[in-house]
Amino acid sequence: MMDDMDDCRRKSWMLAAGLALLVFLVLWIFSGWGFFGALLTGIVVMLLLGLLLANLRCKDNTVTQAAPSPAPRAQPAPQPAAATPAPRTGKAEAGKAETAAAPAPEPAVEPAPVAEPIAEAASAPEPVSQPEPTPGHATAAAADAAKEEREPALMQSPKGGSEDDLKLISGVGPKLEETLNGLGIWHFDQIAAWDASEVAWVDSRLRFKGRIERDDWIGQAKTLAAGGETEFSRRKKRG
């Protein structure tokens, strides 16, 4: 125990001396103190730190080492249990015990008769009735079938060197008139004679599809070709 205390104190004073040396060097070199003033301060620091560390560190070690550890408490040895004598049973009692222990035979359960599934008569599938085509569907189908493209009657130049003003037809502007003229369409009677396949041919070459039927070009062209006027053509001429 004394050796441990001496070793603890020696280490505490060595640590205090190291810290005091560090204080001396800092004061002498970096703080501008004189040699003897810095040395005296370092010695005072070493003494104070040595006493403080020795009392704190070595005191705790002494208390820790001096405290005796409690001895383990001896457990009492377990005593052997007294043997219980087995009861004597007679032959009659043994026979009764065997009879009571034997399980009674379970009655045989007859399996229930399985009902045979009744075969259902296979019914013939009912024919699915197809919906009868309505007149509107028939008309739309006929119109789709008739939309096979066929080139209409075209002209290299207008008749008599003078073309009709196709802008009198509602839906035909200057750009569209140039397109129609470029295709060879110059007169109202050309447009009035178109059928569904010819309309499909011209419509496929226009930028906006469906305008011919939507604006009724053929009906307007028939009126204008006969020398009549439509409401749009009258407004156009007035403007």
Side-chain angles (χ1 to χ4, degrees):
M1 183 185 303
M2 295 301 297
D3 293 339
D4 293 340
M5 289 181 62
D6 293 340
D7 184 57
C8 177
R9 289 175 180 175
R10 185 173 60 256
K11 290 181 179 179
S12 298
W13 280 103
M14 290 176 63
L15 179 60
L19 294 175
L21 178 61
L22 180 62
V23 172
F24 164 69
L25 293 175
V26 170
L27 294 177
W28 181 40
I29 297 174
F30 298 102
S31 299
W33 285 38
F35 176 80
F36 291 103
L39 178 62
L40 181 60
T41 304
I43 293 173
V44 172
V45 171
M46 181 185 70
L47 293 175
L48 294 176
L49 288 177
L51 293 174
L52 182 63
L53 292 174
N55 289 333
L56 291 178
R57 297 176 70 241
C58 300
K59 183 178 181 180
D60 294 339
N61 292 338
T62 304
V63 173
T64 303
Q65 294 175 0
S69 58
R73 189 174 182 180
Q75 297 293 334
Q79 297 180 0
T84 303
R88 295 182 178 180
T89 57
K91 294 182 179 180
E93 293 179 358
K96 292 180 180 180
E98 293 178 358
T99 305
E106 297 180 357
V109 180
E110 296 182 358
V114 179
E116 296 182 357
I118 301 174
E120 297 181 357
S123 59
E126 297 181 358
V128 180
S129 58
Q130 298 293 337
E132 297 181 358
T134 59
H137 291 162
T139 304
D144 293 337
K147 283 187 177 180
E148 297 179 359
E149 295 183 9
R150 183 168 62 87
E151 182 178 323
L154 305 176
M155 303 175 64
Q156 295 292 333
S157 59
K159 292 182 293 185
S162 176
E163 69 274 9
D164 293 334
D165 186 5
L166 301 182
K167 295 188 296 297
L168 295 177
I169 298 176
S170 175
V172 178
K175 293 291 185 182
L176 194 52
E177 184 182 38
E178 292 180 5
T179 302
L180 294 173
N181 293 159
L183 293 175
I185 302 168
W186 304 89
H187 300 285
F188 298 132
D189 56 357
Q190 287 180 275
I191 299 175
W194 288 347
D195 58 14
S197 59
E198 293 171 338
V199 169
W201 185 91
V202 177
D203 188 65
S204 64
R205 285 156 178 80
L206 300 181
R207 183 175 180 181
F208 300 99
K209 309 300 181 184
R211 172 166 289 184
I212 299 174
E213 296 177 348
R214 183 171 61 251
D215 294 334
D216 190 20
W217 286 12
I218 296 176
Q220 296 182 68
K222 287 180 180 179
T223 302
L224 296 172
E229 290 184 344
T230 62
E231 183 178 354
F232 177 79
S233 66
R234 282 194 296 269
R235 291 201 308 268
K236 188 75 173 176
K237 290 178 180 179
R238 291 173 188 172

